[in-house]
Amino acid sequence: MGASESGAMSEAEAGAPETISLYEKWRKIYPLWVSGGWQRSRRIVLVILLVVFYSAPWLTWNGEPGFRIDLAHRRFTLFWTTFVPEEFVLLAWLLLIAALTLFTVTVAAGRVFCGWACPQTIWSLVYFSVERWIEGDRAARMRLDRGPWNRRKVVKKILKYSAWAMIAFSISVTFVGFFEPIRELIPRILTFDLGKWEIIALFLPAALSFLLSGVLREQVCFHMCPYARFQSVMFDRDSLIISYDVDRGEPRGSRKRSADPASLGLGACVDCRKCVSVCPTGIDIRDGLQYQCIGCAACIDACTEVMHTMGYGESLIRYSSENRDEGQQRHWLRPRLIGYASLILVMLGVFGYTLAHRVPVGFDVFGDRSRLFREDWDGSVENVFTLRVANREGEDREYRIGFESPLPLRYDGPEKVRVPAGGVESIPIRMILPGDAAGRAESAEVLFRLESLDSPDVEVEKTTRFHLPPGRE
Ligand code: SF4
Ligand code: SF4
């Protein structure tokens, strides 16, 4: 009975539909530390970018910040130039130039931004360096994670997460330093003199950095980064990619160092998988270009080491292009690249021109839209205007208000206005045409003039219309 029953069950089991999970199980990647020319260059770039990030909030000139987004006063400062909200279009323009530059770099050099300058990659490398310093290289980290929880493991994990927390906190403080003066922020942190929103603003970037760059790392590139997904459509056959030299490498196989690969029928790849071990995203580039490849060039350095040890010459993995891989000529100057570069130059030119001809004060005149004029009992006619003065400089400024008109108008409003640095003032004023003149006058233009009392050469004008009742216009 047992035999026949068990036979029937095997058949049923064999016929049962197999369930295939559509979700790949997450596996932790333990990249091997690699040295080499590309990695040295990458680490130099990393240090430069870190120095820029950490020092930027501290850069001041005559008390003015070099970079600041001052949300409280609704202004931003870039290279010691203060911009008021009405100039935020310039910031948008600058972001557009940055985005276009990124696209151009992608067309020319593939994912070089991802591997060399993306904040996620940079911070992941920083967290990874600390991890390696505390827990050891790949094999030691794997052993530690798979081993039992003992005192050594607990101490190492506490040390690592404490160091990560300190890095995350330093990022957070610097980040908040782009929004408020860091020289005032740090003493307040040290004395716990912080408001509720400041605590949240400090905690959030720290938590995000710890989670995204420390814990999740390559998962962010795989599943969260939209740029990773759409940038492949920007590639052309000449874009720089990391690729494996199949012609030289295959057929792959292990062999003794002294063996002659040709007599064994083998290519140069010794199948040591070092290029896979060093890869921060855990892929095998020998399978071809994959969207997970962030272009960090770690596999190039790894293979260079192996090839030199074997005496086989250059690395099998290299910066290449589809055309180069197929033995065709590489074109550095391509129509799309020239188009993007020209557009960037034009946009930079417009930005530079706007900046060079930027008036340090913004001046607008708005009429009362709900009531163009008001007639008084004595026949006089009154128009109400709002003068909007935006001080685009880094210091408080005082301005004199004047006007010209063919009509004998009387001005009812302040003669001078003081506007704080980067601030905007709205001044309601009245223009009155006396009754004896109103009867025979026609609607006419009024020219308002604003002169800076601190800089005599700064003078702006705005023209508007003085409205009269129908029949007199
Ligand atoms: S490091 Fe070079 S030799 Fe080793 S498996 Fe990778 S491609 Fe082959
Ligand atoms: S395949 Fe090479 S270049 Fe791409 S992510 Fe891995 S190590 Fe970096």
Side-chain angles (χ1 to χ4, degrees), residues 244 269-275 286 303 306-307 316-317:
Y244 167 67
C269 177
V270 298
D271 206 13
C272 61
R273 293 185 60 82
K274 197 163 179 191
C275 49
R286 294 174 300 169
C303 195
V306 177
M307 289 296 106
L316 291 172
I317 306 169

Side-chain angles (χ1 to χ4, degrees), residues 242 275 278-283 285 292-300 317:
I242 304 266
C275 49
V278 299
C279 180
T281 63
I283 59 167
I285 196 68
Q292 294 98 328
C293 173
I294 58 168
C296 68
C299 51
I300 302 183
I317 306 169

Side-chain angles (χ1 to χ4, degrees), residues 54-232:
Y54 278 113
S55 61
W58 294 91
L59 297 177
T60 50
W61 184 270
N62 289 333
E64 276 302 303
F67 307 91
R68 177 154 323 144
I69 299 168
D70 189 345
L71 294 176
H73 300 98
R74 296 198 302 144
R75 64 191 180 200
F76 73 96
T77 308
L78 200 60
F79 295 110
W80 297 277
T81 309
T82 302
F83 297 89
V84 291
E86 62 183 30
E87 296 178 294
F88 269 38
V89 66
L90 279 176
L91 182 65
W93 191 250
L94 209 59
L95 291 176
L96 211 60
I97 293 174
L100 202 60
T101 306
L102 187 59
F103 295 162
T104 312
V105 168
T106 305
V107 173
R111 292 190 71 172
V112 76
F113 170 78
C114 298
W116 291 66
C118 170
Q120 169 65 12
T121 311
I122 289 173
W123 290 118
S124 294
L125 192 53
V126 171
Y127 283 98
F128 170 53
S129 304
V130 170
E131 181 179 75
R132 176 182 169 262
W133 182 55
I134 294 170
E135 294 186 354
D137 210 353
R138 178 181 156 89
R141 292 199 308 277
M142 288 167 98
R143 266 199 311 276
L144 188 73
D145 279 359
R146 284 166 199 169
W149 279 96
N150 52 25
R151 206 170 71 167
R152 183 174 159 274
K153 184 167 173 175
V154 170
V155 169
K156 280 191 180 283
K157 292 291 174 191
I158 289 176
L159 270 177
K160 180 178 88 171
Y161 291 129
S162 306
W164 279 12
M166 276 155 63
I167 295 169
F169 189 61
S170 75
I171 294 170
S172 200
V173 172
T174 310
F175 178 74
V176 176
F178 281 95
F179 294 86
E180 59 178 281
I182 198 162
R183 285 184 176 82
E184 295 165 22
L185 177 70
I186 288 182
R188 287 198 292 111
I189 292 172
L190 294 175
T191 54
F192 298 105
D193 178 21
L194 295 167
K196 183 178 73 180
W197 290 111
E198 277 175 320
I199 294 172
I200 293 173
L202 281 168
F203 175 76
L204 259 184
L208 278 176
S209 169
F210 189 100
L211 182 71
L212 299 181
S213 305
V215 180
L216 294 177
R217 291 189 199 163
E218 76 291 339
Q219 298 298 315
V220 175
C221 310
F222 291 178
H223 307 296
M224 297 183 205
C225 177
Y227 185 56
R229 294 285 166 166
F230 74 78
Q231 62 183 303
S232 58

Side-chain angles (χ1 to χ4, degrees), residues 438-455:
R440 52 198 150 73
E442 286 181 9
S443 165
E445 284 192 338
V446 188
L447 180 142
F448 285 98
R449 183 178 299 114
L450 193 77
E451 294 168 66
S452 168
L453 295 175
D454 307 285
S455 325

